[in-house]
Amino acid sequence: MYHDPDLHPAPAPLPAATHGMGISTLRVGLIGLGTVGLGTLELLARQAALVARRAGRPVAVTQVAVRNVARARSLVPAGVAVHADPLALATDPSVDVLVEVAGGTTGALQWVQAALAAGKPVVTANKALLAEHGPALAALARAHGTPLLCEAAVAGCIPVLKALAEGLAGNRILALQGIVNGTSNYILSRMQDAGLDFSAALAEAQALGYAEADPALDVGGGDAAHKLAVLASLAWGVPVPLAHIAVQGIAHLQAADAAAAALLGGRLRLLARAEPLGTLLCAHPQAEPDTPPEALRLSVQPVLVAQAEPLAAVHGVRNAVQITGDACGPVLLTGAGAGAGPTASAVVADLVDLARGHTARAHAWAASQQGQPAASAPLAAEPHLLRVPLDHADERAARSLLPAVLAALEAAGVPLLRLQRLAHGGRLHWLLRTRACSAAAVQAAAAQIATLPGVAGPCTALPVLGTLADLV
Ligand SMILES: NC(=O)C1=CN([C@@H]2O[C@H](COP(=O)(O)OP(=O)(O)OC[C@H]3O[C@@H](n4cnc5c(N)ncnc54)[C@H](O)[C@@H]3O)[C@@H](O)[C@H]2O)C=CC1
Ligand SMILES: N[C@@H](CC=O)C(=O)O
C-alpha cells in the first residue's frame, strides 16, 4: 500500500475480501475492454493459479464497465458483471482495485479521481492522463493514502518505472533515452525493412492493436511525450509539464528518408530523450544528492541512429529505454512496447504488487509530482542529416544546384561535414551531413533550400546519433 510516513501508518497489504470458502480474492473492476482490457482479462484468467501463488491471494476481474454492454457480455466469463457506468464501478465497495484501461483524459480523470477519493487503489495504462493530470492525481493519492500504479503506461511490458523507482534508487540519473512508442517504431521498421509506405505501415500497426484510438498521438510524437514526462518525473523527482518537451513526430518522413538511412548504415528511430542541464555538475560528488535539476532538456524527435548504437537494433513494436545512472552507468531495458499481451503483463504485475502491499513506485511517482517543475533547457547541438530532394534525376542539373544549397547552409551557420548523393523514387537527393549544430539552424537552412528552383519540396532534417559506418 502507498505509504507516506508523514501522513499514514505503516503500509499493509490490501484488505482481503472473502469469497466462497474463505479464500480472499482481490476483486478487480476493469474500465475498458479493448486491446489492453481484453488482454488483462485473458491473462488473469489464464495465469490464475500462478498469479494467486505470487500475489498470495487470487486476483480476478469481477466487474467491467464498457460502452457496448451487449458486446462485452459475449466476451467476459459468466460471473463477471457488465456495467455501462464507469463512475459507479470506480466507487463500488465490492471492487477492491480499479483498473482503468479505457484511455482518454476526460472520463478517465473523473473515474480515477473518484476511486482514489474513495480510498480505492488504481492501476492505469493511461499515460495521457498521467502526463496531463499527474500533480492533481498524486495530490489525491497522497491525501487518501491510496496507491496509483502505472507500469503499463510506459514502454509496454518493460518494468522501467520499477527499475527507476526501485532497482536504480541509489543512483543520480544522468540521462534517459529510448524508443517508447511501439507504433512509430513498427512503422519506421516496416518502411526501412519492407519498403512499405507510411500509411500502409500505420494500417498494419492499427490492425495489430498497437496504435492509440487517435493514431495522431503515436505518429505526432504526443504519446512518446506523455511517456517521457512520466519517466523524467520519476528520474529527477519533479513534475514535467508537457510544454517543456520539444516534440516532432514521424508523419513527415518519406520512403526516401528510409532509403537514405539504409545508404548511410543507420536506422530511423523516434527517440525520447531527457537529461538534466549540466550533467557533470549534477554528478559532482559535492552536489546535494537529492537536489532537483535546475533545468531538463527534453525531446521527442525522429533521429538517424548509427547501426552500432544499441537503439538501432530495436525493431518493430519493441521499445527500449537506456537509463544512465552515476553509479551503475548505462542500463538498457528492452521488450515489446505495445499490444495486448505485453501491456497486460505490466497491468497484472501492478495488481500482484498491490496484493502483496508492495507499492514503492506509487510512492515515488506521487512524490515526483509535487513542487515546481525544473526549467526547460534548449536542445543540444548535434550532427544532422539534411536530405534535399531534387526535381531531376539528372546529375548535371543536380550539381548546378549545389552552390546555392551550400550558400544556404553557410548563411544559417551550419557546418558541412560530408555530401552524398541518393538516387531514389526516380529522382536524385542530396544528403548533407553536418557537424554539430543547433536544430534551429538546420531547420532554417532546410526552409531556405526548399525554396530554391530545382528543389522538389520540403527537405528532411534529422539529428544523427552515434558514428555512421563510413566515419568509423
Ligand atoms: N494498445 C496498447 O498496446 C497500449 C495501450 N495503452 C493504453 O491503454 C489504454 C487503452 O488502450 P487500448 O486498449 O489500446 O484502447 P482500445 O481503444 O482498444 O480500448 C478502449 C476500450 O475502452 C472503452 N471505453 C472508452 N471510453 C469509454 C467510456 N467512456 N466508457 C466505457 N468504456 C469506454 C472502449 O469502448 C474500448 O473498449 C489507453 O490509455 C492506451 O493509451 C498502454 C499501453 C499499450
Ligand atoms: N500506442 C502506444 C501503445 C502503448 O503505449 C504505442 O504504440 O506505443
Side-chain angles (χ1 to χ4, degrees):
M1 176 77 76
Y2 161 57
H3 169 59
D4 184 329
D6 298 331
L7 293 176
H8 302 289
L14 288 175
T18 34
H19 247 202
M21 297 173 301
I23 303 168
S24 70
T25 295
L26 185 69
R27 296 163 305 180
V28 175
L30 194 65
I31 304 181
L33 211 52
T35 300
V36 182
L38 272 175
T40 302
L41 188 76
E42 194 275 329
L43 187 62
L44 277 174
R46 180 157 53 92
Q47 315 279 44
L50 177 147
V51 167
R53 195 167 63 248
R54 293 184 178 160
R57 59 195 285 199
V59 179
V61 175
T62 54
Q63 305 194 31
V64 298
V66 291
R67 280 201 184 114
N68 186 338
V69 172
R71 174 184 169 269
R73 287 223 167 90
S74 70
L75 296 172
V76 302
V80 174
V82 180
H83 304 280
D85 181 1
L87 190 59
L89 182 139
T91 51
D92 186 328
S94 69
V95 165
D96 298 316
V97 181
L98 175 70
V99 173
E100 184 280 304
V101 285
T105 51
T106 310
L109 177 64
Q110 220 191 343
W111 312 325
V112 171
Q113 282 180 324
L116 293 173
K120 202 183 294 303
V122 172
V123 173
T124 181
N126 191 336
K127 52 271 174 172
L129 179 71
L130 299 165
E132 287 178 21
H133 300 288
L137 292 174
L140 205 54
R142 285 175 57 81
H144 294 271
T146 315
L148 185 156
L149 287 169
C150 52
E151 190 66 72
V154 182
C157 69
I158 305 173
V160 62
L161 304 188
K162 195 165 201 149
L164 272 172
E166 301 177 40
L168 303 176
N171 287 263
R172 282 185 203 141
I173 305 303
L174 305 182
L176 273 177
Q177 64 176 0
I179 295 164
V180 293
N181 183 265
T183 301
S184 299
N185 208 50
Y186 183 87
I187 292 171
L188 295 174
S189 300
R190 294 289 284 158
M191 283 172 74
Q192 197 164 339
D193 296 337
L196 254 63
D197 71 19
F198 182 89
S199 331
L202 171 59
E204 283 190 359
Q206 288 178 295
L208 290 163
Y210 302 154
E212 297 299 304
D214 175 5
L217 278 170
D218 295 293
V219 302
D223 178 73
H226 292 150
K227 292 165 176 166
L228 184 62
V230 176
L231 284 172
S233 277
L234 260 186
W236 289 288
V238 288
V240 172
L242 286 168
H244 286 196
I245 306 176
V247 182
Q248 188 189 28
I250 61 165
H252 63 292
L253 297 181
Q254 298 178 5
D257 296 306
L263 179 76
L264 301 177
R267 306 287 310 197
L268 298 176
R269 297 286 177 252
L270 181 69
L271 294 194
R273 297 186 280 178
E275 61 175 336
L277 194 68
T279 295
L280 292 176
L281 277 182
C282 285
H284 193 280
Q286 282 168 4
E288 207 29 62
D290 210 19
T291 310
E294 269 172 40
L296 287 173
R297 171 177 289 139
L298 300 152
S299 65
V300 170
Q301 57 187 153
V303 171
L304 175 58
V305 179
Q307 203 72 60
E309 293 291 313
L311 293 177
V314 177
H315 301 292
V317 73
R318 276 177 63 210
N319 282 189
V321 183
Q322 182 173 301
I323 304 165
T324 306
D326 63 344
C328 64
V331 171
L332 184 70
L333 301 165
T334 182
T343 313
S345 163
V347 171
V348 171
D350 278 352
L351 289 169
V352 170
D353 269 354
L354 273 173
R356 288 170 170 162
H358 177 74
T359 54
R361 66 195 175 286
H363 187 191
W365 175 78
S368 76
Q369 300 299 304
Q370 292 180 287
Q372 288 305 308
S376 165
L379 298 185
E382 54 191 339
H384 283 75
L385 167 69
L386 189 58
R387 179 182 62 80
V388 180
L390 304 177
D391 276 336
H392 309 284
D394 171 56
E395 179 92 16
R396 189 180 296 181
R399 282 191 180 282
S400 70
L401 263 174
L402 261 185
V405 168
L406 298 180
L409 280 190
E410 198 175 329
V414 175
L416 183 66
L417 172 66
R418 185 164 288 201
L419 176 68
Q420 282 157 283
R421 242 175 351 122
L422 168 73
H424 179 87
R427 63 173 86 242
L428 286 177
H429 307 250
W430 285 121
L431 302 182
L432 308 167
R433 283 158 60 189
T434 78
R435 297 184 189 281
C437 60
S438 74
V442 182
Q443 295 295 354
Q448 172 58 31
I449 291 169
T451 65
L452 295 173
V455 172
C459 309
T460 307
L462 294 164
V464 178
L465 178 71
T467 309
L468 293 167
D470 58 346
L471 296 180
V472 173

